């Protein structure tokens, strides 16, 4: 549960990012691409703001989600782009042309990802480890008529945490900004608060967010209020607290060493 919360806190930095992404010496703008049946092309600008050459390789994949809202990627020919590999000298920029050549989007929005991968390059004999950065740019191909319909469809308290399911019945994606839970005592006073940054919920999908309940406040709560922020709306839900699911120090498993924090 804790590892999941850490992972989503890292991942959600992308959803709250500004109009450009910057890491190391490479800047990419924009961070989202919106297309439709009438506007099937767009462009990205890659800028090298460092002092050394940067080589990047691009590839596109379709973007779906499974029953739990976990992202799934697959090869696709729907998205075309040029060039596919480019080297940028210091203080230079390059335009990447992006186009959609898939079927008409009369029903639901179609979603893709364009991966911009920096290729690691080192000088002969160099002993320094260089990290290669990969940007993941969402591409949304939107239908002509768009509807938004999302809600909290299930909330359950499990051992040490809370599972909140957010369903998107609309025909375009939803950007969940935040999911928050407050534990309340019998007098209605807050005894704990826990939150998790959101992520995308694609059309027709349900995503489950796992929040960690603070150990010191869990047993004091008799009710839990859940709040989800998305698309300029606040959606709420409420359930009775179950103290039998609260973890204590005696319940926690022994940890022989530090846990790995998996990448995004």
């Amino acid at each position: 549960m804790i590892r999941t919360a850490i992972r989503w806190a890292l991942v959600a930095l992308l959803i709250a990012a500004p109009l450009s992404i910057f890491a190391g010496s490479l800047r990419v703008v924009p961070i989202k691409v919106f297309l439709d049946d009438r506007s099937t092309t767009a462009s990205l600008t890659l800028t090298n703001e460092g002092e050394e050459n940067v080589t990047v390789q691009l590839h596109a994949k379709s973007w779906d989600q499974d029953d739990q809202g976990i992202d799934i990627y697959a090869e696709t020919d729907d998205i075309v782009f040029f060039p596919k590999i480019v080297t940028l000298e210091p203080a230079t920029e390059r335009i990447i042309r992006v186009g959609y050549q898939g079927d008409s989007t009369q029903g639901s929005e179609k979603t893709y990802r364009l991966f911009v991968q920096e290729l690691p390059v080192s000088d002969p004999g160099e002993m320094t480890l260089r990290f290669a950065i990969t940007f993941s740019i969402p591409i949304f191909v939107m239908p002509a008529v768009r509807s938004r319909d999302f809600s909290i469809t299930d909330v359950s308290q499990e051992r040490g945490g809370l599972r909140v399911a957010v369903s998107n019945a609309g025909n375009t994606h939803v950007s969940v900004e935040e999911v928050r839970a407050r534990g309340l005592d019998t007098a209605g006073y807050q005894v704990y608060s826990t939150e998790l940054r959101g992520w995308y919920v694609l059309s027709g999908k349900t995503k489950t967010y796992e929040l960690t309940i603070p150990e010191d406040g869990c047993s004091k709560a008799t009710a839990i209020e859940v709040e989800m922020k998305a698309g300029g709306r606040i959606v709420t839900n409420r359930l009775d607290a179950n103290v039998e699911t609260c973890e204590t120090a005696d319940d926690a498993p022994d940890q022989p060493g530090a846990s790995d924090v998996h990448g995004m």
Side-chain angles (χ1 to χ4, degrees):
M1 186 74 69
I2 294 175
R3 178 179 296 175
T4 301
I6 294 173
R7 185 179 73 238
W8 282 111
L10 292 172
V11 174
L13 290 175
L14 291 176
I15 204 170
L19 296 179
S20 64
I21 302 177
F22 179 81
S25 61
L26 184 64
R27 182 184 295 273
V28 181
V29 58
I31 63 169
K32 301 178 184 179
V33 174
F34 295 92
L35 303 173
D36 56 35
D37 286 341
R38 292 181 298 177
S39 301
T40 58
T41 61
S43 62
L44 297 175
T45 301
L46 309 183
T47 304
N48 181 5
E49 300 188 350
E51 299 179 352
E52 299 180 355
N53 289 355
V54 173
T55 299
V56 296
Q57 185 174 18
L58 296 90
H59 61 279
K61 292 191 176 184
S62 64
W63 173 25
D64 200 355
Q65 291 178 333
D66 66 13
D67 293 341
Q68 295 298 314
I70 304 300
D71 293 339
I72 301 173
Y73 303 111
E75 300 297 328
T76 183
D77 295 323
D78 292 351
I79 300 299
V80 293
F81 49 91
F82 180 83
K84 295 186 177 181
I85 187 168
V86 60
T87 297
L88 294 93
E89 296 181 349
T92 63
E93 65 180 32
R94 184 69 181 268
I95 302 297
I96 306 297
R97 306 295 182 183
V98 181
Y100 175 70
Q101 62 177 13
D103 297 334
S104 176
T105 56
Q106 296 299 320
S108 297
E109 175 182 70
K110 296 188 177 183
T111 48
Y112 304 86
R113 287 268 174 176
L114 181 63
F115 294 91
V116 182
Q117 181 180 11
E118 180 182 352
L119 301 181
V121 178
S122 58
D123 297 328
E126 183 179 15
M127 301 300 293
T128 303
L129 177 63
R130 299 193 184 188
F131 292 96
I133 304 298
T134 298
F135 299 100
S136 177
I137 310 299
I139 300 176
F140 302 105
V141 185
M142 301 176 293
V145 179
R146 301 156 198 170
S147 64
R148 307 201 74 183
D149 182 7
F150 56 90
S151 60
I152 297 175
T153 52
D154 185 60
V155 181
S156 61
Q157 186 176 358
E158 300 184 0
R159 195 163 191 80
L162 195 69
R163 292 172 59 88
V164 180
V166 177
S167 296
N168 178 10
N171 68 351
T172 59
H173 71 279
V174 172
S175 298
V176 177
E177 301 168 23
E178 180 184 69
V179 179
R180 178 190 298 269
R182 298 191 309 134
L184 307 176
D185 64 14
T186 54
Y189 291 106
Q190 178 177 303
V191 293
Y192 70 78
S193 178
T194 181
E195 63 187 59
L196 191 64
R197 296 293 297 180
W199 186 242
Y200 297 100
V201 183
L202 301 184
S203 173
K205 302 300 181 179
T206 296
K207 184 168 190 60
T208 301
Y209 295 91
E210 298 182 355
L211 291 83
T212 301
I213 296 179
E215 179 184 315
D216 57 351
C218 183
S219 60
K220 301 175 184 178
T222 59
I224 303 174
E225 287 187 349
V226 179
E227 181 181 279
M228 183 263 294
K229 297 180 181 179
R233 290 175 49 197
I234 297 178
V235 180
T236 60
N237 204 318
R238 184 185 177 100
L239 74 157
D240 294 332
N242 183 0
V243 296
E244 294 182 359
T245 67
C246 296
E247 285 190 339
T248 65
D250 293 336
D251 296 328
D254 294 334
Q255 299 295 330
S259 298
D260 294 332
V261 178
H262 293 278
M264 295 178 287

